[in-house]
Structures are given as structure tokens and as C-alpha cells.
Amino acid sequence: NISYPELNNMAKKLLIERTFSSDEKSITIEDLNIFDNNGKIIVDATVSGSMKGELRLTGDPYYDPSDSTLKIKNLDFDLQTRNAIAKSANWLMHHKLAEKIQDKLNLTIAKKVEEAKQMICKMLVNKYLGHNVHLTGKLDNLYVNEIFLAKESIKANLLFKGGINLMMKR
């Protein structure tokens, strides 16, 4: 579970005050806010430089197991932003600003996955379930199977491999 405020803090460390240049023009990201809207990640960015104002991009979140990162694919300007850019700053679209931001917006969540693993391991150590029933187990591996967007956070569906023993005493 990664809350949107936590996600925003992570993203801001990567993108705030970062300048993206093309030819003789550039923009700097001054602020940003990430949230979900109908299954899409929304990135609202306040920019300054050759263009001043708000940009809105949308994309699809996914988990990359090779480096334990949350990434966004298909990041692109939303229709309203695209129309505004076409009128005043068409160079932003032609110089693939959305792709440049997408490439930088790789949020490492290895710590969160490790925290989940530790929590599960603690739960498997001689857990008393009541009426002389004890559970013990061992967690060998934990995998992020998929991620999905919820109202307050991004959630991960986890798969794990290991073994459990259920002991019942009379």
C-alpha cells in the first residue's frame, strides 16, 4: 500500500527543480501532484521557463520486478493540455517531454516490499490461533503480482512462496 501523499513525496524528490531542455527552450518543474482518475495515474505539473503554467499528463502504472520500481507507461498529455500546448507551446509535444518525464519517474518500492515480507514472516512465527491451534511457517519468496489504483493509494497484490504448519493439540 503506497498512499498518494507518499507517492507524491517520492516523485517530487525526482522531478522538482528538474529542467527539461530542447533546442533553445526549456521548462522547469516547480511542483507536481500525482493522483488517480478512473484507473489512470494523473500527473499535474506546475512549470516555469519557456512555458509557464500547468501541465496534466496521464498514464498507466505498472510494477517492474527487475528493479523493484513503480513506473508509468504511456504517459502523455491529456486532451485539454494537448490542445493548449498545440496553440502556445507545440515544441513540448515534438520534443517528447512526456517521455522524458516518464523516464525519470521511476519510484523504488523495494523497501515497501521488504516491509511486507518482514510483516508476513513475523505473522508466521508460532502464531496462536486459539483452542490449542498454532501456526508456524517460513516465507521463501515474495513477489508483487500486480498493482492497482485505489481511491487513497496504490495497492499491490502479493504472491509468496513458502510453507506453513498448522498444529492442533488436544
Side-chain angles (χ1 to χ4, degrees):
N1 190 40
I2 302 170
S3 69
Y4 289 111
E6 185 178 1
L7 187 68
N8 277 301
N9 287 337
M10 294 166 68
K12 285 178 180 185
K13 289 178 184 175
L14 295 172
L15 292 175
I16 295 295
E17 298 182 9
R18 182 172 286 273
T19 300
F20 296 90
S21 300
S22 176
D23 300 329
E24 295 178 14
K25 299 182 184 213
S26 66
I27 62 163
T28 300
I29 297 179
E30 301 294 336
D31 196 13
L32 63 86
N33 184 34
I34 297 177
F35 56 96
D36 84 293
N37 187 14
N38 296 324
K40 293 279 193 184
I41 284 284
I42 307 297
V43 179
D44 277 348
T46 303
V47 298
S48 63
S50 299
M51 179 190 170
K52 293 181 172 126
E54 302 288 325
L55 299 176
R56 176 169 282 189
L57 300 105
T58 65
D60 303 307
Y62 73 99
Y63 176 75
D64 185 346
S66 69
D67 56 1
S68 298
T69 55
L70 176 64
K71 297 180 178 181
I72 300 173
K73 61 183 174 183
N74 305 319
L75 191 67
D76 202 358
F77 297 104
D78 76 340
L79 187 59
Q80 189 173 5
T81 303
R82 184 176 288 280
N83 290 340
I85 290 172
K87 292 177 185 174
S88 63
N90 196 27
W91 59 273
L92 285 175
M93 288 191 299
H94 288 95
H95 293 286
K96 303 186 183 218
L97 175 69
E99 285 181 22
K100 291 178 181 181
I101 292 173
Q102 177 178 295
D103 290 343
K104 297 292 180 199
L105 200 53
N106 298 324
L107 307 168
T108 301
I109 60 170
K111 183 178 176 184
K112 285 283 193 185
V113 173
E114 185 58 31
E115 287 172 2
K117 185 175 182 179
Q118 295 302 321
M119 183 181 73
I120 292 168
C121 285
K122 281 184 182 179
M123 292 173 59
L124 294 174
V125 176
N126 198 21
K127 184 79 172 178
Y128 177 70
L129 301 177
H131 301 296
N132 296 322
V133 178
H134 290 268
L135 176 82
T136 59
K138 178 183 168 200
L139 177 64
D140 295 326
N141 287 312
L142 180 101
Y143 308 96
V144 175
N145 184 40
E146 66 177 324
I147 60 166
F148 57 95
L149 302 176
K151 183 178 181 182
E152 301 293 326
S153 62
I154 294 179
K155 299 189 179 283
N157 183 359
L158 303 174
L159 296 176
F160 51 93
K161 293 183 180 181
I164 58 171
N165 293 317
L166 187 62
M167 295 177 22
M168 297 172 58
K169 295 182 182 179
R170 290 185 179 196

